[in-house]
Amino acid sequence: KLPRSARTRPPVTSAMDKPAARPACPNFGSGPCPKRPGWSHDALKGAAMGRSHRSALGKGKLQQAIQETKELLGLPEGYHVGIVPASDTGAVEMVMWSMLGCKPVDVCHWETFGKEWFTDAAKQLKLDVKNVTVDTYGQLPDLSQVDKTHDVVFTFNGTTSGVRVPNLDFIADDREGIVVCDATSAIFAMDMLPWEKMDVITYSWQKVLGGEGAHGMLILGPRAVQRLESYTPDRAIPKIFRLTKDGKLAADIFEGSTINTPSMLCVEDYLDALAWARSAGGLDGLVAKSKANMAVVEAFVARNPWAHFLCAVPEHRSNTSVCLTLDLPPDQVKELQKALEKEQVAYDIGSYRSAPPGLRIWCGATVEASDLEALCQWLEWAYHSVREAHGLGPDAPRWVAEAVANGK
């Protein structure tokens, strides 16, 4: 149900109607994402700065981060959590290099980063790969193509396209291969259950929890551990990707040790984010808040016929990286973005460079609904301001804007 204010407030119809209120936090970028509400540098006072990550203090904080992550997510017994290098990218790559190759691989992708996993699987690792994809941004491929006898790599939420999987029904319970899920812009914001559908889950701190970059999280289920201990790829595995020792799982990675030196400052920030998440209602509270944020954008689109979701299917729309197109040519979309930045209303909301021109607005749980409501008013103002600057009145029909966009 949409907020009452969003349902009843009339849209801005003139560039003269500059809104009075600005978002308290103008950060709406999709990675790194906004810090939690109320964050300040005081949250880092307890950081183990200048101490070894192998000391009792340092390792204790790493162990705390692992244990609190397990508890917050409610992971099943037998699932391991580790902190690994190079953000979500590093976590996905180390799994691909260490686990894939003994079975054909179905790579399901519909945006930029998922395509990178396909490219690496096909061109770098030279695996037997099936490409489960679509040609158009904003669409989800036919996931019924997934073969339960194959390994599967997929991105739960396409950060650059605003398209997510609606559920995990395409993954067979009696599958023979392992399932690798890049969950970085979905986890803590979407219903991803049951966890048992996925054998590997990866994410980074910088998305829904608003942490800092450079550190990845790797979650392994029992079937992933079995793969690691029963299959050795016929290729060199760099140290930074190694997950086994003497043919067994490198268990210390999942007990507070790390492959390389982590930033203890970033670890402290992640612990603060986990504490905030618990205070916000835990996993259920975070998911609910992100959905409520999405409802604000849905109301904005519903009352403005010139704004559209890039994804046409409601069930497939992301409620974190929300992608919109506008009835403006690309150069005017950029003008709109610059106007909002100049007014200190919104930063980093442009669509990804390989996506269709438009907006990408982060609606994860660290964003406040009140800030999104204020942003939406400013979007209306900026849209009509840009139109009027180019000789188009606020009520000009859509075909006029399309003619301008086509140079007619």
Side-chain angles (χ1 to χ4, degrees), residues 108 140 142-148 152 154 156 164-175 179 191-194 196-198 315-316:
C108 309
L140 189 71
D142 178 8
L143 297 178
S144 68
Q145 300 176 65
V146 170
D147 190 326
K148 70 177 184 179
V152 177
F154 79 101
F156 199 101
R164 54 162 290 178
V165 295
N167 53 57
L168 298 173
D169 292 350
F170 68 97
I171 300 174
D173 291 332
D174 61 345
R175 63 190 180 278
V179 174
D191 181 4
M192 295 181 60
L193 301 178
E196 290 87 351
K197 286 275 191 177
M198 298 163 286
E315 295 77 17
H316 297 171

Side-chain angles (χ1 to χ4, degrees), residues 88-103 105-108 113-127 129 151-155 178-182 200 202 218 220 227-228 231-238 241-243:
D88 176 66
T89 302
V92 174
E93 292 285 5
M94 67 195 309
V95 166
M96 293 179 65
W97 281 74
S98 297
M99 295 189 193
L100 301 184
C102 62
K103 290 180 177 292
V105 184
D106 295 352
V107 181
C108 309
F113 294 106
K115 185 178 180 180
E116 291 294 336
W117 308 146
F118 170 76
T119 299
D120 284 358
K123 296 185 177 181
Q124 302 299 323
L125 295 173
K126 302 185 186 305
L127 303 176
V129 182
D151 290 336
V152 177
V153 178
F154 79 101
T155 306
I178 62 168
V179 174
V180 179
C181 175
D182 171 359
V200 178
T202 68
L218 177 61
L220 300 182
R227 170 66 63 85
L228 283 169
Y231 169 65
T232 301
D234 186 20
R235 55 179 170 264
I237 306 295
F241 288 168
R242 292 177 201 157
L243 291 169

